[in-house]
Amino acid sequence: MTSPIRKIYFGIADRHLMFRLFDRHAQRPNRWQNDDSALYTGEWFEIAQAQHDYMLEILPPLWMRGEMFAMREFLTCSITSVFYTLSINGVTRYFHAYCDLSDPRSPYEMRDAIVERERRPVKAMTRGERIEHIWSATHDDYRGYAGADFRPEHRGKRTVIVYGKPGTRFQLLESLTDAQISEKLPVHLRHLPLPEAA
């Protein structure tokens, strides 16, 4: 599994949602038996200043560098939370990201990716961002991981409940149709365009 830098939630996470997003993979099978670094590395989302300041005050940071600080406690291996205070289009905003500190460039590459993504003048969402938002926003009771009901090559992949003529069922998250994605997104995100090809 690869670990691209990816926005996992659209909107500003409040305190409850922030903690939920910290471990949005909590239901994964064999949770403590594998190195799941790739699940987390590169994930980021926006938070409010209150959440940023709260996390800064919990423990002394591992380090502080300009507009960012890293948490002292590691999630897994060399993956930890990095919090950012960034001025984007003249507005101060706050973000959380999981960075792999075994690569010293990771926090800076993350910062640059967040700024590049958030500076876009027109709101747009890629298919991948839509999928990640759906996973992040879906309650644990309505999402899970493919088990014995799925073909062997799909077992362990993320699933969500879909509603349709054959009835309610779990379906692979990655295989949702555009119509199903639209149904699962909040109304204010359904009609955002796909980004224009560069």
Side-chain angles (χ1 to χ4, degrees):
M1 179 181 288
T2 58
S3 303
I5 292 176
R6 60 210 177 274
K7 184 174 185 174
I8 62 166
Y9 184 80
F10 276 69
I12 300 172
D14 62 17
R15 183 171 168 172
H16 173 76
L17 181 57
M18 175 182 75
F19 281 104
R20 197 168 163 271
L21 292 174
F22 282 163
D23 196 359
R24 67 192 196 119
H25 306 290
Q27 295 176 298
R28 67 192 181 276
N30 307 319
R31 180 171 182 177
W32 305 112
Q33 297 174 13
N34 302 311
D35 175 10
D36 292 320
S37 302
L39 287 174
Y40 297 94
T41 304
E43 292 187 343
W44 65 272
F45 58 92
E46 188 168 0
I47 58 176
Q49 181 178 359
Q51 279 64 256
H52 173 276
D53 295 349
Y54 173 80
M55 296 308 293
L56 180 59
E57 294 167 5
I58 285 182
L59 292 170
L62 179 65
W63 49 253
M64 295 183 75
R65 298 177 186 154
E67 70 278 315
M68 66 181 99
F69 70 89
M71 290 297 287
R72 182 170 296 280
E73 293 182 349
F74 285 79
L75 176 70
T76 178
C77 300
S78 55
I79 311 302
T80 195
S81 293
V82 177
F83 291 86
Y84 297 87
T85 302
L86 302 173
S87 178
I88 301 174
N89 297 332
V91 177
T92 301
R93 295 168 64 186
Y94 304 87
F95 300 90
H96 166 271
Y98 279 123
C99 296
D100 183 351
L101 298 189
S102 68
D103 177 358
R105 299 167 303 162
S106 174
Y108 301 99
E109 290 172 354
M110 177 65 75
R111 177 201 58 202
D112 295 345
I114 292 171
V115 170
E116 188 278 326
R117 172 64 185 88
E118 294 302 300
R119 275 196 178 148
R120 296 180 193 164
V122 177
K123 279 196 159 188
M125 290 176 78
T126 65
R127 178 180 168 81
E129 288 172 336
R130 292 167 201 258
I131 294 286
E132 293 302 333
H133 182 91
I134 289 168
W135 181 258
S136 295
T138 301
H139 189 276
D140 289 349
D141 292 342
Y142 301 99
R143 68 182 188 183
Y145 292 84
D149 297 354
F150 288 82
R151 294 170 56 176
E153 64 268 23
H154 296 308
R155 291 181 190 153
K157 291 183 177 180
R158 297 182 294 175
T159 61
V160 291
I161 282 189
V162 295
Y163 306 94
K165 294 264 185 190
T168 302
R169 69 189 191 287
F170 276 95
Q171 180 174 322
L172 292 175
L173 182 66
E174 65 189 33
S175 72
L176 292 177
T177 66
D178 291 343
Q180 289 169 326
I181 288 171
S182 182
E183 289 169 8
K184 290 195 164 294
L185 285 173
V187 173
H188 70 283
L189 297 178
R190 287 181 185 169
H191 304 292
L192 292 180
L194 290 167
E196 293 180 12

